[in-house]
Amino acid sequence: MKDLLSIVSHFHLSDAVREITPLGSGLINDTYKVITQTGNPDYVLQRINHTIFQDVDMLQNNIASVTRHIRKKLEERGESDIDRKVLRFLPAENGKTYWFDGENYWRVMVFIPRAKTYETVNPEYSGYAGQAFGNFQAMLADIPDRLGETIPDFHNMEFRLKQLRDAVSTDIAGRVKDVQYYLDEIERRAEEMCKAERLYREGKLPKRVCHCDTKVNNMMFDEDGSVLCVIDLDTVMPSFIFSDYGDFLRSAANTGLEDDKNLDNVNFDMEIFKAFTKGYLGAAKSFLLPIEIENLPYAAALFPYMQCVRFLADYINGDTYYKTQYPGHNLIRTKAQFKLLQSVEEHTPQMQTFIDECMK
Ligand code: GN1
Ligand code: MG
Protein backbone atom coordinates (compact mmCIF):
# COMPACT_ATOMS: atom_id res chain seq x y z
CA MET A 1 0.00 0.00 0.00
CA LYS A 2 2.81 2.41 0.86
CA ASP A 3 4.45 1.78 -2.50
CA LEU A 4 1.15 2.21 -4.30
CA LEU A 5 0.57 5.42 -2.41
CA SER A 6 3.88 6.81 -3.54
CA ILE A 7 3.03 5.87 -7.15
CA VAL A 8 -0.30 7.65 -6.92
CA SER A 9 1.43 10.75 -5.54
CA HIS A 10 2.89 11.37 -9.01
CA PHE A 11 -0.60 11.97 -10.43
CA HIS A 12 -2.78 15.01 -9.80
CA LEU A 13 -5.59 13.53 -7.71
CA SER A 14 -8.15 16.00 -6.45
CA ASP A 15 -8.34 14.49 -2.98
CA ALA A 16 -6.35 12.58 -0.34
CA VAL A 17 -6.22 8.79 -0.55
CA ARG A 18 -8.00 6.71 2.06
CA GLU A 19 -7.34 3.19 0.80
CA ILE A 20 -6.06 1.24 -2.22
CA THR A 21 -7.61 -2.17 -2.88
CA PRO A 22 -7.37 -4.75 -5.70
CA LEU A 23 -10.01 -4.48 -8.43
CA GLY A 24 -11.26 -6.61 -11.31
CA SER A 25 -10.31 -9.92 -12.84
CA GLY A 26 -8.14 -9.10 -15.88
CA LEU A 27 -5.51 -11.59 -16.94
CA ILE A 28 -2.86 -9.08 -17.99
CA ASN A 29 -2.59 -5.80 -16.03
CA ASP A 30 -2.80 -5.31 -12.24
CA THR A 31 -5.69 -3.09 -11.26
CA TYR A 32 -6.50 -1.28 -8.00
CA LYS A 33 -9.22 1.00 -6.76
CA VAL A 34 -7.96 4.18 -5.15
CA ILE A 35 -10.54 5.23 -2.59
CA THR A 36 -10.31 8.90 -1.66
CA GLN A 37 -11.50 10.72 1.45
CA THR A 38 -14.58 12.17 -0.20
CA GLY A 39 -15.01 9.47 -2.83
CA ASN A 40 -15.75 12.22 -5.29
CA PRO A 41 -14.19 10.90 -7.38
CA ASP A 42 -12.38 7.68 -6.60
CA TYR A 43 -9.74 6.51 -9.06
CA VAL A 44 -8.43 3.37 -10.72
CA LEU A 45 -4.70 2.67 -10.62
CA GLN A 46 -3.21 0.21 -13.10
CA ARG A 47 0.17 -1.31 -13.54
CA ILE A 48 0.60 -1.78 -17.27
CA ASN A 49 2.07 -5.13 -18.19
CA HIS A 50 4.88 -3.85 -20.34
CA THR A 51 6.25 -7.26 -21.19
CA ILE A 52 3.05 -7.55 -23.21
CA PHE A 53 2.49 -3.90 -24.13
CA GLN A 54 6.02 -3.03 -25.07
CA ASP A 55 5.38 0.44 -26.45
CA VAL A 56 3.62 2.16 -23.57
CA ASP A 57 3.86 5.54 -25.20
CA MET A 58 2.02 4.28 -28.27
CA LEU A 59 -0.47 2.49 -26.04
CA GLN A 60 -1.33 5.61 -24.09
CA ASN A 61 -1.44 7.74 -27.24
CA ASN A 62 -3.93 5.33 -28.79
CA ILE A 63 -6.10 5.48 -25.70
CA ALA A 64 -5.89 9.27 -25.63
CA SER A 65 -7.02 9.48 -29.29
CA VAL A 66 -9.86 7.06 -28.72
CA THR A 67 -11.21 8.65 -25.56
CA ARG A 68 -10.85 12.17 -27.03
CA HIS A 69 -12.77 11.15 -30.12
CA ILE A 70 -15.55 9.42 -28.22
CA ARG A 71 -15.85 12.33 -25.80
CA LYS A 72 -16.25 14.69 -28.74
CA LYS A 73 -18.97 12.52 -30.28
CA LEU A 74 -20.85 12.35 -27.00
CA GLU A 75 -20.63 16.11 -26.58
CA GLU A 76 -21.89 16.68 -30.13
CA ARG A 77 -24.83 14.46 -29.41
CA GLY A 78 -25.59 16.50 -26.32
CA GLU A 79 -25.22 13.53 -23.97
CA SER A 80 -25.24 14.12 -20.23
CA ASP A 81 -23.07 12.39 -17.63
CA ILE A 82 -20.17 12.12 -20.08
CA ASP A 83 -17.60 11.25 -17.42
CA ARG A 84 -19.44 8.00 -16.84
CA LYS A 85 -19.56 7.20 -20.58
CA VAL A 86 -15.93 7.49 -21.52
CA LEU A 87 -12.76 6.89 -19.53
CA ARG A 88 -10.70 9.85 -18.34
CA PHE A 89 -6.98 9.41 -17.62
CA LEU A 90 -5.09 11.72 -15.30
CA PRO A 91 -1.86 13.39 -16.29
CA ALA A 92 1.14 12.55 -14.17
CA GLU A 93 3.64 15.18 -13.08
CA ASN A 94 5.69 14.53 -16.24
CA GLY A 95 2.71 15.68 -18.33
CA LYS A 96 2.11 12.22 -19.76
CA THR A 97 -0.79 9.94 -18.90
CA TYR A 98 1.51 7.37 -17.34
CA TRP A 99 4.30 7.24 -14.82
CA PHE A 100 7.43 5.09 -15.00
CA ASP A 101 8.88 4.32 -11.59
CA GLY A 102 12.13 2.88 -12.97
CA GLU A 103 10.67 -0.60 -13.17
CA ASN A 104 6.96 -0.42 -13.93
CA TYR A 105 4.55 1.76 -15.89
CA TRP A 106 1.46 3.05 -14.09
CA ARG A 107 -1.64 4.99 -15.06
CA VAL A 108 -4.59 6.44 -13.22
CA MET A 109 -8.13 6.96 -14.45
CA VAL A 110 -11.27 8.32 -12.88
CA PHE A 111 -13.41 5.59 -11.31
CA ILE A 112 -16.91 5.46 -12.75
CA PRO A 113 -19.33 5.49 -9.83
CA ARG A 114 -22.44 3.28 -9.52
CA ALA A 115 -21.43 1.20 -12.52
CA LYS A 116 -21.19 -2.56 -12.62
CA THR A 117 -19.28 -5.16 -14.53
CA TYR A 118 -20.48 -8.72 -14.96
CA GLU A 119 -18.86 -12.05 -15.72
CA THR A 120 -22.13 -13.30 -17.22
CA VAL A 121 -25.12 -11.49 -18.67
CA ASN A 122 -28.70 -12.35 -19.60
CA PRO A 123 -30.08 -11.94 -23.15
CA GLU A 124 -31.45 -8.47 -22.41
CA TYR A 125 -28.04 -7.17 -21.35
CA SER A 126 -26.40 -8.93 -24.28
CA GLY A 127 -28.65 -6.95 -26.59
CA TYR A 128 -27.46 -3.71 -24.98
CA ALA A 129 -23.87 -4.90 -25.27
CA GLY A 130 -24.34 -5.67 -28.98
CA GLN A 131 -25.62 -2.16 -29.58
CA ALA A 132 -22.79 -0.70 -27.52
CA PHE A 133 -20.03 -2.46 -29.44
CA GLY A 134 -21.72 -1.63 -32.75
CA ASN A 135 -21.88 2.03 -31.67
CA PHE A 136 -18.30 1.92 -30.46
CA GLN A 137 -17.14 0.78 -33.90
CA ALA A 138 -19.39 3.34 -35.58
CA MET A 139 -18.09 6.20 -33.41
CA LEU A 140 -14.50 5.27 -34.16
CA ALA A 141 -15.06 4.93 -37.90
CA ASP A 142 -13.90 8.52 -38.51
CA ILE A 143 -11.19 8.84 -35.87
CA PRO A 144 -8.69 11.30 -37.33
CA ASP A 145 -5.54 9.79 -35.79
CA ARG A 146 -3.88 6.65 -37.05
CA LEU A 147 -3.81 4.09 -34.29
CA GLY A 148 -0.78 1.90 -33.78
CA GLU A 149 -0.97 -1.85 -33.20
CA THR A 150 -0.32 -2.03 -29.47
CA ILE A 151 0.33 -5.74 -29.83
CA PRO A 152 1.41 -6.46 -33.41
CA ASP A 153 -0.66 -9.19 -35.11
CA PHE A 154 -2.85 -9.42 -32.03
CA HIS A 155 -5.83 -11.14 -33.68
CA ASN A 156 -3.96 -12.47 -36.70
CA MET A 157 -4.87 -16.15 -36.77
CA GLU A 158 -1.95 -17.13 -39.00
CA PHE A 159 0.44 -15.51 -36.54
CA ARG A 160 -1.21 -17.18 -33.53
CA LEU A 161 -0.90 -20.56 -35.22
CA LYS A 162 2.73 -19.87 -35.96
CA GLN A 163 3.30 -19.09 -32.28
CA LEU A 164 1.69 -22.38 -31.35
CA ARG A 165 3.75 -24.31 -33.89
CA ASP A 166 6.92 -22.62 -32.64
CA ALA A 167 6.00 -23.56 -29.07
CA VAL A 168 5.46 -27.15 -30.17
CA SER A 169 8.79 -27.40 -31.92
CA THR A 170 10.67 -25.99 -28.93
CA ASP A 171 8.57 -27.89 -26.37
CA ILE A 172 10.44 -26.13 -23.61
CA ALA A 173 8.35 -27.54 -20.77
CA GLY A 174 8.04 -31.07 -22.19
CA ARG A 175 4.25 -30.80 -22.38
CA VAL A 176 3.58 -31.50 -26.06
CA LYS A 177 3.18 -35.22 -25.50
CA ASP A 178 0.12 -34.58 -23.32
CA VAL A 179 -1.78 -32.37 -25.73
CA GLN A 180 -1.53 -34.13 -29.10
CA TYR A 181 -5.31 -34.53 -29.36
CA TYR A 182 -5.82 -30.76 -29.14
CA LEU A 183 -2.99 -30.03 -31.53
CA ASP A 184 -4.55 -32.34 -34.11
CA GLU A 185 -7.99 -30.80 -33.68
CA ILE A 186 -6.48 -27.35 -34.09
CA GLU A 187 -4.53 -28.26 -37.22
CA ARG A 188 -7.60 -29.85 -38.79
CA ARG A 189 -9.35 -26.47 -38.67
CA ALA A 190 -6.35 -24.24 -39.33
CA GLU A 191 -6.94 -23.41 -42.95
CA GLU A 192 -10.60 -22.52 -42.54
CA MET A 193 -9.83 -20.43 -39.47
CA CYS A 194 -7.27 -18.33 -41.36
CA LYS A 195 -9.94 -17.26 -43.84
CA ALA A 196 -10.04 -13.65 -42.62
CA GLU A 197 -6.36 -13.09 -43.32
CA ARG A 198 -6.79 -14.47 -46.83
CA LEU A 199 -9.83 -12.32 -47.58
CA TYR A 200 -7.89 -9.31 -46.33
CA ARG A 201 -4.93 -10.03 -48.60
CA GLU A 202 -7.33 -10.42 -51.52
CA GLY A 203 -8.68 -6.95 -50.75
CA LYS A 204 -12.16 -8.29 -49.95
CA LEU A 205 -12.27 -7.70 -46.21
CA PRO A 206 -11.47 -4.35 -44.55
CA LYS A 207 -9.88 -3.58 -41.21
CA ARG A 208 -11.69 -1.08 -39.00
CA VAL A 209 -10.91 0.35 -35.62
CA CYS A 210 -12.05 -2.30 -33.17
CA HIS A 211 -11.87 -2.84 -29.43
CA CYS A 212 -10.28 -6.30 -29.68
CA ASP A 213 -11.00 -7.40 -26.12
CA THR A 214 -14.77 -7.43 -25.93
CA LYS A 215 -15.01 -9.87 -23.09
CA VAL A 216 -18.24 -9.22 -21.29
CA ASN A 217 -16.36 -8.02 -18.20
CA ASN A 218 -14.82 -5.19 -20.21
CA MET A 219 -18.10 -3.35 -20.34
CA MET A 220 -19.64 -1.09 -17.69
CA PHE A 221 -23.37 -1.22 -17.10
CA ASP A 222 -25.46 1.41 -15.35
CA GLU A 223 -27.81 0.51 -12.52
CA ASP A 224 -30.74 0.19 -14.94
CA GLY A 225 -28.84 -2.23 -17.21
CA SER A 226 -28.00 0.22 -19.97
CA VAL A 227 -24.41 0.24 -21.15
CA LEU A 228 -22.35 3.14 -19.90
CA CYS A 229 -19.08 2.51 -21.62
CA VAL A 230 -16.50 0.11 -22.85
CA ILE A 231 -13.33 -0.19 -20.78
CA ASP A 232 -9.94 -1.87 -21.18
CA LEU A 233 -8.92 0.12 -24.24
CA ASP A 234 -5.39 -1.26 -24.47
CA THR A 235 -6.06 -3.28 -27.57
CA VAL A 236 -8.14 -0.79 -29.54
CA MET A 237 -6.59 -1.02 -32.99
CA PRO A 238 -7.39 -1.77 -36.61
CA SER A 239 -8.75 -5.29 -36.94
CA PHE A 240 -11.60 -7.23 -38.54
CA ILE A 241 -14.99 -6.53 -36.99
CA PHE A 242 -15.00 -10.26 -36.23
CA SER A 243 -12.78 -9.44 -33.26
CA ASP A 244 -15.45 -7.59 -31.35
CA TYR A 245 -18.38 -9.67 -32.43
CA GLY A 246 -16.62 -12.97 -31.84
CA ASP A 247 -14.88 -12.26 -28.58
CA PHE A 248 -18.02 -11.04 -26.88
CA LEU A 249 -19.86 -14.23 -27.80
CA ARG A 250 -16.88 -16.30 -26.71
CA SER A 251 -17.24 -14.93 -23.21
CA ALA A 252 -20.94 -14.09 -22.88
CA ALA A 253 -22.58 -16.95 -24.80
CA ASN A 254 -20.57 -19.57 -22.95
CA THR A 255 -22.92 -21.27 -20.49
CA GLY A 256 -19.86 -22.22 -18.41
CA LEU A 257 -16.70 -20.45 -17.38
CA GLU A 258 -13.74 -19.61 -19.58
CA ASP A 259 -11.78 -22.08 -17.45
CA ASP A 260 -14.57 -24.45 -16.49
CA LYS A 261 -13.27 -27.80 -15.25
CA ASN A 262 -16.61 -29.41 -15.97
CA LEU A 263 -16.95 -29.44 -19.74
CA ASP A 264 -20.63 -30.35 -19.49
CA ASN A 265 -21.19 -26.80 -18.29
CA VAL A 266 -19.69 -25.36 -21.44
CA ASN A 267 -22.08 -24.80 -24.34
CA PHE A 268 -22.97 -22.05 -26.77
CA ASP A 269 -26.11 -20.21 -25.68
CA MET A 270 -28.24 -19.32 -28.69
CA GLU A 271 -30.43 -16.90 -26.75
CA ILE A 272 -27.41 -14.79 -25.91
CA PHE A 273 -26.23 -15.11 -29.48
CA LYS A 274 -29.55 -13.90 -30.86
CA ALA A 275 -29.89 -10.94 -28.54
CA PHE A 276 -26.31 -9.82 -29.06
CA THR A 277 -26.46 -10.25 -32.84
CA LYS A 278 -29.69 -8.30 -33.09
CA GLY A 279 -28.26 -5.45 -31.02
CA TYR A 280 -24.99 -5.43 -32.91
CA LEU A 281 -26.54 -5.52 -36.37
CA GLY A 282 -29.02 -2.81 -35.38
CA ALA A 283 -26.10 -0.48 -34.69
CA ALA A 284 -23.66 -1.71 -37.33
CA LYS A 285 -25.53 -2.94 -40.39
CA SER A 286 -25.44 0.51 -41.96
CA PHE A 287 -21.67 0.32 -42.34
CA LEU A 288 -20.93 -3.42 -42.52
CA LEU A 289 -20.17 -5.00 -45.88
CA PRO A 290 -22.01 -8.17 -46.99
CA ILE A 291 -18.79 -10.16 -46.58
CA GLU A 292 -18.55 -9.09 -42.96
CA ILE A 293 -22.15 -10.02 -42.23
CA GLU A 294 -21.90 -13.35 -44.05
CA ASN A 295 -18.95 -14.30 -41.92
CA LEU A 296 -20.38 -13.57 -38.48
CA PRO A 297 -20.87 -17.29 -37.74
CA TYR A 298 -17.24 -17.78 -38.72
CA ALA A 299 -16.33 -15.03 -36.22
CA ALA A 300 -18.27 -16.83 -33.51
CA ALA A 301 -16.09 -19.89 -34.09
CA LEU A 302 -12.85 -18.00 -34.68
CA PHE A 303 -12.54 -16.60 -31.17
CA PRO A 304 -12.94 -19.77 -29.11
CA TYR A 305 -10.55 -21.31 -31.62
CA MET A 306 -8.01 -18.48 -31.33
CA GLN A 307 -8.25 -18.47 -27.56
CA CYS A 308 -7.79 -22.23 -27.53
CA VAL A 309 -4.64 -21.78 -29.63
CA ARG A 310 -3.35 -18.98 -27.38
CA PHE A 311 -4.00 -20.79 -24.11
CA LEU A 312 -2.48 -23.98 -25.45
CA ALA A 313 0.62 -22.18 -26.72
CA ASP A 314 1.05 -20.58 -23.31
CA TYR A 315 0.64 -23.96 -21.62
CA ILE A 316 3.27 -25.49 -23.89
CA ASN A 317 5.57 -22.52 -23.28
CA GLY A 318 5.39 -23.14 -19.54
CA ASP A 319 2.78 -20.46 -18.65
CA THR A 320 4.56 -17.22 -19.36
CA TYR A 321 1.80 -14.97 -20.73
CA TYR A 322 -1.50 -15.33 -18.86
CA LYS A 323 -1.85 -15.09 -15.12
CA THR A 324 -2.61 -18.58 -13.83
CA GLN A 325 -4.06 -19.69 -10.52
CA TYR A 326 -2.85 -23.29 -10.43
CA PRO A 327 -0.60 -25.64 -12.40
CA GLY A 328 -2.35 -26.76 -15.55
CA HIS A 329 -4.71 -23.77 -15.55
CA ASN A 330 -3.91 -22.95 -19.18
CA LEU A 331 -4.68 -26.51 -20.21
CA ILE A 332 -8.04 -26.37 -18.43
CA ARG A 333 -8.73 -23.12 -20.28
CA THR A 334 -7.73 -24.74 -23.58
CA LYS A 335 -10.14 -27.62 -23.04
CA ALA A 336 -13.00 -25.33 -22.11
CA GLN A 337 -12.44 -23.15 -25.17
CA PHE A 338 -12.27 -26.21 -27.38
CA LYS A 339 -15.55 -27.52 -26.00
CA LEU A 340 -17.09 -24.12 -26.68
CA LEU A 341 -15.79 -24.21 -30.24
CA GLN A 342 -17.42 -27.59 -30.82
CA SER A 343 -20.71 -26.27 -29.55
CA VAL A 344 -20.45 -23.18 -31.77
CA GLU A 345 -19.79 -25.44 -34.76
CA GLU A 346 -22.96 -27.41 -34.04
CA HIS A 347 -24.97 -24.22 -34.02
CA THR A 348 -23.62 -22.73 -37.24
CA PRO A 349 -26.66 -23.41 -39.47
CA GLN A 350 -29.01 -21.93 -36.86
CA MET A 351 -26.81 -18.86 -36.56
CA GLN A 352 -26.85 -18.37 -40.32
CA THR A 353 -30.65 -18.56 -40.44
CA PHE A 354 -31.00 -16.04 -37.64
CA ILE A 355 -28.61 -13.56 -39.26
CA ASP A 356 -30.47 -13.84 -42.58
CA GLU A 357 -33.70 -13.03 -40.77
CA CYS A 358 -32.17 -9.98 -39.08
CA MET A 359 -31.05 -8.65 -42.45
CA LYS A 360 -34.47 -8.94 -44.12
C1 GN1 B 1 -6.72 -11.06 -21.82
O1 GN1 B 1 -6.73 -8.52 -19.86
P1 GN1 B 1 -7.93 -9.32 -20.17
O2 GN1 B 1 -8.18 -10.38 -19.16
O3 GN1 B 1 -9.14 -8.43 -20.42
C2 GN1 B 1 -6.17 -10.95 -23.24
C3 GN1 B 1 -7.28 -11.19 -24.24
C4 GN1 B 1 -7.84 -12.57 -24.01
C5 GN1 B 1 -8.31 -12.69 -22.58
C6 GN1 B 1 -8.75 -14.10 -22.25
C7 GN1 B 1 -3.79 -8.20 -24.05
O4 GN1 B 1 -7.66 -10.04 -21.61
O5 GN1 B 1 -6.80 -11.10 -25.55
O6 GN1 B 1 -8.90 -12.80 -24.88
O7 GN1 B 1 -7.29 -12.33 -21.65
N1 GN1 B 1 -5.57 -9.66 -23.45
C8 GN1 B 1 -4.34 -9.56 -23.98
O8 GN1 B 1 -9.51 -14.09 -21.11
O9 GN1 B 1 -3.70 -10.54 -24.36
MG1 MG C 1 -10.13 -6.75 -19.05
Side-chain angles (χ1 to χ4, degrees), residues 56-223:
V56 174
D57 212 63
M58 180 215 276
L59 174 74
Q60 289 299 103
N61 282 335
N62 268 9
I63 294 180
S65 308
V66 167
T67 50
R68 197 184 312 121
H69 192 70
I70 293 181
R71 187 171 287 274
K72 193 169 139 246
K73 295 260 155 158
L74 296 174
E75 281 164 5
E76 282 167 5
R77 277 198 221 152
E79 294 258 357
S80 59
D81 216 7
I82 290 183
D83 260 346
R84 295 176 74 225
K85 295 180 181 162
V86 61
L87 297 178
R88 188 154 65 82
F89 288 83
L90 294 200
E93 62 196 26
N94 56 5
K96 295 190 180 282
T97 56
Y98 61 89
W99 175 256
F100 182 58
D101 67 6
E103 212 176 313
N104 286 300
Y105 291 85
W106 300 86
R107 65 185 169 202
V108 172
M109 62 201 115
V110 177
F111 181 85
I112 300 179
R114 303 179 313 282
K116 291 187 174 151
T117 57
Y118 297 97
E119 296 296 325
T120 54
V121 285
N122 62 22
E124 186 193 347
Y125 281 36
S126 298
Y128 299 145
Q131 271 169 18
F133 282 121
N135 282 333
F136 184 83
Q137 288 175 344
M139 279 196 282
L140 291 177
D142 59 350
I143 188 166
D145 316 286
R146 243 187 98 84
L147 299 184
E149 281 196 34
T150 52
I151 301 180
D153 292 317
F154 188 50
H155 280 171
N156 177 337
M157 197 57 243
E158 290 172 350
F159 172 73
R160 294 298 182 183
L161 278 165
K162 180 179 180 309
Q163 283 186 317
L164 175 66
R165 289 167 186 152
D166 288 349
V168 169
S169 62
T170 314
D171 195 14
I172 194 162
R175 292 176 172 176
V176 167
K177 59 180 183 329
D178 308 328
V179 297
Q180 200 53 53
Y181 169 77
Y182 292 98
L183 290 170
D184 293 344
E185 290 292 323
I186 286 168
E187 288 300 343
R188 208 153 64 74
R189 295 166 172 84
E191 197 184 319
E192 161 69 9
M193 287 296 149
C194 292
K195 174 160 81 170
E197 300 303 327
R198 281 196 301 279
L199 290 172
Y200 178 66
R201 272 195 298 275
E202 290 163 7
K204 294 179 184 154
L205 181 69
K207 286 194 183 181
R208 306 179 188 273
V209 176
C210 295
H211 181 274
C212 293
D213 192 8
T214 51
K215 280 206 294 204
V216 51
N217 64 10
N218 281 332
M219 177 159 273
M220 295 279 224
F221 292 86
D222 207 346
E223 286 156 321

Side-chain angles (χ1 to χ4, degrees), residues 231-251:
I231 56 173
D232 200 349
L233 303 175
D234 296 327
T235 52
V236 175
M237 63 177 114
S239 187
F240 309 123
I241 56 102
F242 306 154
S243 291
D244 293 358
Y245 180 80
D247 216 24
F248 181 85
L249 289 174
R250 180 186 74 78
S251 55

